[in-house]
Amino acid sequence: MSTSSASTRHLNRLAKAKSPYLLQHAENPVDWYEWGQEAFDKAKEENKPIFLSVGYSACHWCHVLAHESFEDEITAKMMNEHYVNVKVDREERPDVDRLYMTFLQASTGGGGWPMSVWLTPDLHPFFAGTYFPPGRFRQVLERLADVWADDRERCIESAGKVLEALKESSNIAPTPQDNVDLNTASQEVFQRLQKRFDVVNGGFGGAPKFPSPAQTTHFLARYAASHLSHLNASSEDKKNAQAARDVAVYSMVKIYNGGIRDVVGGGFSRYSVDERWHVPHFEKMLYDEAQLLLSSLDLYQLLPTPSRDRKTLELMAKDIVSYVANDLRSPEGGFYSAEDADSLQTHNSTVKKEGAFYVWTSEQLDELLGADADLFKYHFGVEADGNCDPGHDIQGELKGQNVLYSAHTPEETAEKFNKSVEETEKILNTSLKTLRDYRDKHRPRPHLDDKILTCWNGLMISGLARASEVLKHDNDVAPKALEMAEASAAFIRNHLFDEQSGKLWRSYREGPGPTGQADDYAFLIQGLLDLYEASANEEHLLWAIRLQEKQDELFYDPEDGGYFASAPDEHILIRMKDAQDGAEPSAVSVTLANLQRLAHLAEDRHADYNAKAKSILSSNGQLLTRAPFALASMVSAAMMADKGYMQFIHTGASSTSPLLELIRSTFIPNRVLIHIDPKNPPRELAKVNGSVRSLIEELDRTGGETVENVRICEDFTCGLPIEDVDDLRARLPLIVEA
């Protein structure tokens, strides 16, 4: 903001914030505070309740609430008179969000953002909701102010009881790990997803429809691989496994072909408001791109033979890599968090509309594409009066507009217009470039949330590292993906990691933000493990080992086992162990997988890692038994341990050898890959891995001379070195059709 414009505007305290979401409210007439001691002291001094508003910068309904209520002078006056008003960016403070979202869900049966919670000065919640229309919001403000003034003690007493109930619900007694039947749990997750599968449109459940890979495709890929690669699996298990793969693939293909994908510029929106993935809420989130990238690669490898679906999954992965490279990557290498749903229609517009950057009228396409317009419109489902169902356009912003989606295959379009498939695809690609160039020149981009989150960068590092392995045949995408993953890891190490204390910060924007939470450690460790396996750079693995030590120190519960989700903080009244997956996998589920992998990568510490892993299952035993579908990521990780990890030790200098390429071309979710360069062996890793230590000692005796080979170790017992590709192939758990 320029000095001249700032001088003519009212600015509140949030003008000094770093969070893009908080800065969006810096000109509100509301007397906002950030979450912190200043606000809490004021509430106690003036004996006022706190109004807590939680959201994020790309949240459409957060913007609606802000425009209708927080920008309104009369509403703001009521808020300022009766409350201490606190704004929180849920992406910066998931600990605050998690605690009060639990209260919201318990008290109303639902949740979401914007989240509106009323607290006592001691931070105990006594009323909550989400979005309120302007008239209703004022009524709630007035009514709660009256209740506080007339019956304050009852509010405080009620809030205290609520807090105690939340504490009790978060302290579930551990269940012995041996009492958790993982086979039953995995079957229940599969059967529930199969029951909820939309056989027409793909995905699970009805509208609104979220991709939610952590709850669906991540599990289905691992469930499928566990049985399709098992020679002794029963015919029933293999049939179920193939069904699991097929519903996941079908869903991902439907997502790719739907309007939830930005056909012109790449990337995927957060969710679809309809059941067929057509009309999205247009915000794009880094965590969605990362998880969809991972699932597209997993399922690509689960389809052993070339097919249209396999090609679509490859295109999906490449689309995401291209999008994040072009639009979410900072010059320093970190990845930004999100792009907003709302934007101005033109550079001369003054009112933002949802989807304005992405939608087209039929007339616009005629004007821009000329003779190719009819072919393009047929292929992408364009209609003269717009293709958006008014029932899915509550605010009427998409009237007459078209959300592009793949209504027909290239073959169908080619036949319709009597052209070859090659010529048709050329016309479509040329037309898309024309629209992309026009859009970039004439339409203002949606607001960019340019904070860099450690956790989401960790997820993207995983996706990019996997892409560099799986798409090795593409000499453009694979090295680009690896370079981006390396750069993101370097950014976090340089800007969000304290070398002296070993702690992470959660976010970066004009400097580090709040302290790191459990998901920052878990997702980054996972990313570094994946990056180590893809790059053979020992430093990534050593850093992951160190971060796990710090996560154990800060988040492990030595009394009841498992891990807290929130960092220690005197203002977070309950440290919760939130194991349920949401839009992202739970931190503790990813931690479980990390510990299991580290037990084989740093095998000298396997007893400690395994003990902590078992404590995760024990501390979540009741939920795993009663509702395993809420913990799909945890069940996935537990399945891999139950199956047993395969430790591959590759000894050789080449990163592109046929042996490595064969290992990487196979989907082995229970894989651990260790690299030994005979000329530059990983001596630091050898200090915590006895197998590596022995092999390096052998290399030292021979002066580093050896034939490239792979050893496969299971249950900490290693086989003889394998030097031949065919011999290695015979040992791999290849996918076998039912």
Side-chain angles (χ1 to χ4, degrees), residues 262-265 357-360 363-373 376 380 404 425-443:
D262 177 5
V263 172
V264 173
F357 187 69
Y358 301 102
V359 296
W360 308 86
E363 292 79 4
Q364 285 174 322
L365 296 173
D366 288 337
E367 182 179 340
L368 290 168
L369 303 180
D372 294 331
F376 183 90
F380 287 113
L404 304 181
E425 290 182 332
K426 183 178 180 181
I427 291 171
L428 292 173
N429 289 332
T430 301
S431 298
L432 287 171
K433 184 180 186 306
T434 298
L435 297 187
R436 186 163 54 250
D437 291 343
Y438 174 87
R439 195 173 78 170
D440 289 344
K441 182 177 181 180
H442 296 286
R443 295 182 178 180

Side-chain angles (χ1 to χ4, degrees), residues 401-418:
Q401 301 287 342
N402 289 275
V403 175
L404 304 181
Y405 70 102
S406 297
H408 299 95
T409 66
E411 289 79 7
E412 291 169 342
T413 303
E415 182 179 357
K416 170 78 172 177
F417 290 87
N418 197 27

